[in-house]
Amino acid sequence: MTTFKNLGLDPELLSALEKLGFEKPTPVQEKAIPALLESDNDLVALAQTGTGKTAAFGLPLLQKLEFSGFTEALVLAPTRELCMQITRDLETFAAFKPELKIVAVYGGASIRDQISLLKRGAQVVVATPGRLIDLLERKAVHLDQLRVLVLDEADEMLNMGFQEDIDTILSKSPADRQSCLFSATMPPEVRRIAQRYMRNPAEISLAANTTNENIEHHYYVVKEKNRYEAVKRILDVEPDVYGILFAQTRSLCQDLAEKLIHDGYNADSLHGDLSQAQRDKVMGRFRKKTLNVLVATDVAARGIDVSDITHVINYSLPNELEVYTHRSGRTARAGKKGIAISIIASRDISKIQRLEKMTRSKFTQMQVPAGDDVVRAKFAHFVDELAAEEPDQASIHAYLSIFYAKMKTITREELIEKLASLELRKFIEYYEGAGDINEGADRRSRDYGSEGSGHYQKFFLSVGELDGLDKKNILRWLNDCGLGKVEFGKIRIHRTHTFLEAETDSTELVMNTISKEKINDRKVRIEIQGMESDGSPRKKKNSYGGGGGDYGKQGKSHFKKDKKKSFRR
Ligand code: ADP
Ligand code: MG
């Protein structure tokens, strides 16, 4: 086992760590501490929030101080809170180095007070970039003797627009300093900083930050006012959701949970306005899975370590995109699969690209299910449950006579109709005329695309797993439809719909053919995925075939013709 002592830390720091109760180094500490102690080489370290990065740079930084009387170390951090937190942490680590002086400087506080503190001398300055520039201009800080410079949460600093300030600060500090960059992610801007200002940096990247292949990332583009409706429909087609719905604020959390409960969902909220006892109770129910949907704020959900979570739903994207990784990391734990869903407005589409880079994963744009898709999914689930039900003869026998007496004359078909109606009526009524709430947003070809070569056209089909389609039979079905000669690219079959790529030259043929098809008596709707050059969605113009509510209409029924081809399970 690696200990802090093995890493080469001095006795004063070790005593402080012991007092703090840090027993062994975290992975990023294990790597960064010796690297920084043993050489003056630059270092880039990528590790998620909460992995102990402060001590990873803080301990070596403190050990390397020479108490020369100048400012020897500078830590840049994005926010005032972080500056204060880092300062507190460093002071704790330096509990047995009484001669150390650390000064935190940040905006929103008196610059005079900060100047007078700086005047008394500080070996370590912890600063936000903007305030530091201010102080440099007033010559209240001097960086010419700087030996160690740390950029903490570099990605966040760049997100917040500190690029120029950082450039200025870096160009004003001595060329032979040691620079360390700590970040949760490595977007191109961070890499640019590393390339421009760091000399051949060693790189540490922790496994926690690598792609979790088991998470599927989906997003739905809707209008602001349709967010809630989108969440409901998504929950409705996924009957076995065990998930967390993340909301930005406590009050939104509360509102959403109340609405969901009112609408019959098994949901509850977890946020900071609740008492500890209330929070424990909610968490207890969630852990026992008597609660399906936990509506939570980021802060409240921090540290939640529940396995088996199937879905993480972002009611909106977090303000700080880095948070997305923490949210989605709640699912797909311990080798299990999970889906991270984001409900976004069209103005947020550019953020998806950033998220793709950050998570090194592909994000798939999904279509919010249409009303009839939801009803169908509900019904399929109901039928599955009905089929799986194993009645306990002994216990229900006594009551069955009432049933038989009332239902004496009823036929099997009538009974089934009644059952279906009873179960589905409220959904059918609710979803009657429920429109398409998908925002006709930028359906970038790369969403479903094969290299965006233009070779393939992507299509949306209103049939999916629930209709019996699967990877094996879909090509056979396409062949049976008369599309045997068409070259198909990627095919993704979802519960209620399918995305299909077919060679662009065959677009018309595919549209015309499939729009005449029926599966299990239901007309297949096919739409082209893509944009017109003016940026408007192409959907309407190119939508062929039956939309919702086409049940039982006349038409060519593929599956009626030949029983063998039926996908009905
Ligand atoms: P990061 O900067 O990576 O987000 P922090 O440095 O803020 O993480 O550390 C997160 C938490 O973990 C802090 O509460 C810190 O005190 C604690 N911590 C850090 N290193 C250790 C360790 N080796 N053992 C126990 N706790 C630690
Ligand atoms: Mg940190």
Side-chain angles (χ1 to χ4, degrees):
M1 190 182 90
T2 317
T3 59
F4 281 112
K5 195 170 176 195
N6 295 344
L7 299 182
L9 291 173
D10 68 29
E12 290 155 351
L13 293 173
L14 291 173
S15 308
L17 291 173
E18 198 180 340
K19 203 171 132 200
L20 249 179
F22 284 17
E23 282 165 14
K24 62 181 178 67
T26 66
V28 69
Q29 290 163 359
E30 208 172 298
K31 293 204 165 137
I33 292 172
L36 291 172
L37 285 178
E38 282 158 22
S39 82
D40 289 330
N41 288 344
D42 290 352
L43 178 76
V44 170
L46 299 179
Q48 280 186 339
T49 312
T51 52
K53 292 192 286 295
T54 318
F57 65 74
L59 295 168
L61 174 155
L62 293 169
Q63 180 151 331
K64 283 180 140 183
L65 293 176
E66 288 175 351
F67 298 93
S68 60
F70 300 99
T71 296
E72 297 175 55
L74 169 68
V75 180
L76 288 179
T79 63
R80 162 197 174 114
E81 284 71 29
L82 253 161
C83 279
M84 297 198 292
Q85 193 190 306
I86 293 166
T87 305
R88 266 199 308 272
D89 287 352
L90 293 181
E91 279 167 350
T92 322
F93 301 149
F96 297 97
K97 290 181 184 284
E99 64 278 51
L100 178 71
K101 277 188 247 153
I102 307 177
V103 174
V105 298
Y106 41 77
S110 155
I111 196 164
R112 283 165 173 232
D113 293 352
Q114 291 174 357
I115 291 173
S116 67
L117 282 174
L118 287 166
K119 275 210 179 110
R120 283 182 241 162
Q123 296 92 359
V124 182
V125 173
V126 183
T128 53
R131 178 53 62 100
L132 186 71
I133 299 260
D134 220 343
L135 291 163
L136 282 169
E137 280 165 4
R138 294 173 191 228
K139 306 219 180 313
V141 183
H142 303 276
L143 300 180
D144 42 321
Q145 301 293 322
L146 200 66
R147 296 180 39 239
V148 182
L149 190 150
V150 179
L151 299 168
D152 192 24
E153 310 236 1
D155 50 354
E156 196 53 37
M157 282 199 282
L158 295 175
N159 267 349
M160 291 173 66
F162 284 134
Q163 172 94 54
E164 246 178 69
D165 290 348
I166 292 173
D167 283 351
T168 309
I169 295 163
L170 288 171
S171 63
K172 281 190 178 166
S173 46
D176 63 349
R177 64 167 195 268
Q178 178 176 38
S179 309
C180 326
L181 186 154
F182 283 75
S183 189
T185 61
M186 187 63 146
E189 310 85 72
V190 175
R191 193 162 284 288
R192 192 193 70 90
I193 293 258
Q195 279 162 354
R196 183 133 167 225
Y197 293 106
M198 299 177 82
R199 293 154 307 169
N200 199 14
E203 200 167 313
I204 295 173
S205 182
L206 271 299
N209 200 45
T210 58
T211 315
N212 184 340
E213 305 274 350
N214 287 325
I215 306 181
E216 265 187 59
H217 300 271
H218 294 171
Y219 67 100
Y220 296 80
V221 188
V222 300
K223 286 210 165 60
E224 204 64 54
K225 62 172 191 215
N226 288 326
R227 270 185 211 280
Y228 179 68
E229 177 68 20
V231 169
K232 275 178 50 157
R233 291 194 194 178
I234 291 165
L235 291 175
D236 280 343
V237 292
E238 296 280 355
D240 298 320
V241 168
Y242 175 53
I244 304 181
L245 171 62
F246 279 99
Q248 212 64 2
T249 63
R250 295 167 181 195
S251 61
L252 180 60
C253 228
Q254 187 69 32
D255 285 355
L256 280 174
E258 277 168 16
K259 268 191 185 161
L260 285 169
I261 294 166
H262 175 265
D263 290 340
Y265 298 86
N266 188 7
D268 213 337
S269 61
L270 185 77
H271 55 75
D273 286 343
L274 303 176
S275 70
Q276 189 61 48
Q278 286 172 313
R279 285 212 296 260
D280 290 348
K281 203 166 155 201
V282 172
M283 269 319 291
R285 285 170 59 214
F286 189 57
R287 284 221 163 80
K288 281 196 222 107
K289 300 193 183 174
T290 51
L291 192 64
N292 298 132
V293 182
L294 184 72
V295 191
T297 56
D298 289 301
V299 177
R302 189 172 300 160
I304 290 183
D305 188 24
V306 177
S307 44
D308 302 334
I309 288 177
T310 59
H311 291 74
V312 162
I313 305 179
N314 297 286
Y315 192 67
S316 58
L317 287 177
N319 292 337
E320 295 161 26
L321 288 188
E322 184 193 301
V323 171
Y324 181 92
T325 330
H326 305 308
R327 290 182 178 182
S328 58
R330 300 282 166 225
T331 185
R333 298 173 88 87
K336 298 192 179 104
K337 299 233 180 264
I339 299 179
I341 290 173
S342 301
I343 316 292
I344 70 167
S346 48
R347 66 178 132 75
D348 287 332
I349 288 213
S350 62
K351 291 187 185 159
I352 295 291
Q353 259 159 308
R354 269 162 60 201
L355 285 174
E356 287 188 322
K357 283 192 196 120
M358 237 177 69
T359 58
R360 283 172 244 159
S361 309
K362 200 153 174 43
F363 280 53
T364 309
Q365 183 177 358
M366 307 293 285
Q367 301 288 310
V368 180
D372 64 320
D373 294 330
V374 176
V375 177
R376 217 151 35 88
K378 278 278 172 201
F379 192 56
H381 184 63
F382 170 65
V383 172
D384 285 348
E385 279 193 319
L386 201 61
E389 177 68 14
E390 286 176 13
D392 177 359
Q393 304 285 355
S395 65
I396 64 165
H397 197 77
Y399 309 100
L400 280 179
S401 57
I402 308 168
F403 184 83
Y404 287 131
K406 282 229 164 179
M407 303 285 164
K408 216 183 268 166
T409 59
I410 214 163
T411 66
R412 181 176 184 273
E413 281 66 33
E414 282 166 342
L415 182 62
I416 290 174
E417 273 173 17
K418 276 181 189 292
L419 264 177
S421 164
L422 191 66
E423 175 70 16
L424 291 179
R425 199 175 45 223
K426 57 175 200 291
F427 287 105
I428 294 173
E429 278 166 12
Y430 180 80
Y431 281 113
E432 187 145 56
D436 183 352
I437 59 169
N438 292 290
E439 179 75 295
D442 179 7
R443 301 204 177 84
R444 293 157 299 159
S445 54
R446 59 189 197 85
D447 277 343
Y448 316 106
S450 298
E451 292 82 57
S453 62
H455 182 60
Y456 287 116
Q457 174 60 55
K458 293 99 200 165
F459 300 91
F460 165 88
L461 273 62
S462 65
V463 284
E465 283 164 5
L466 287 176
D467 306 279
L469 284 181
D470 62 34
K471 272 188 195 143
K472 284 185 208 127
N473 65 23
I474 189 161
L475 282 173
R476 202 182 71 215
W477 174 62
L478 290 166
N479 186 43
D480 290 348
C481 295
L483 297 172
K485 293 219 171 74
V486 175
E487 185 190 323
F488 292 101
K490 279 188 201 143
I491 299 178
R492 287 212 198 126
I493 305 170
H494 300 277
R495 260 175 98 73
T496 56
H497 58 275
T498 297
F499 292 113
L500 173 73
E501 288 181 350
E503 55 185 332
T504 311
D505 292 347
S506 303
T507 303
E508 281 298 310
L509 176 66
V510 171
M511 291 294 282
N512 287 326
T513 309
I514 292 184
S515 62
K516 291 194 190 85
E517 284 299 318
K518 280 192 157 195
I519 292 185
N520 299 333
D521 255 355
R522 214 170 69 90
K523 247 179 152 183
V524 179
R525 184 160 48 95
I526 179 167
E527 288 167 10
I528 285 181
Q529 294 287 308
M531 297 285 290
E532 292 288 42
S533 52
D534 67 354
S536 64
R538 271 158 90 164
K539 203 171 144 189
K540 272 243 162 58
K541 197 167 122 196
N542 287 306
S543 181
Y544 290 50
D550 255 328
Y551 293 97
K553 286 222 184 103
Q554 298 278 350
K556 178 181 153 209
S557 171
H558 193 82
F559 294 93
K560 277 282 168 71
K561 272 191 312 202
D562 182 352
K563 271 268 154 18
K564 272 184 296 180
K565 284 182 206 152
S566 173
F567 295 141
R568 219 187 261 277
R569 288 171 293 186

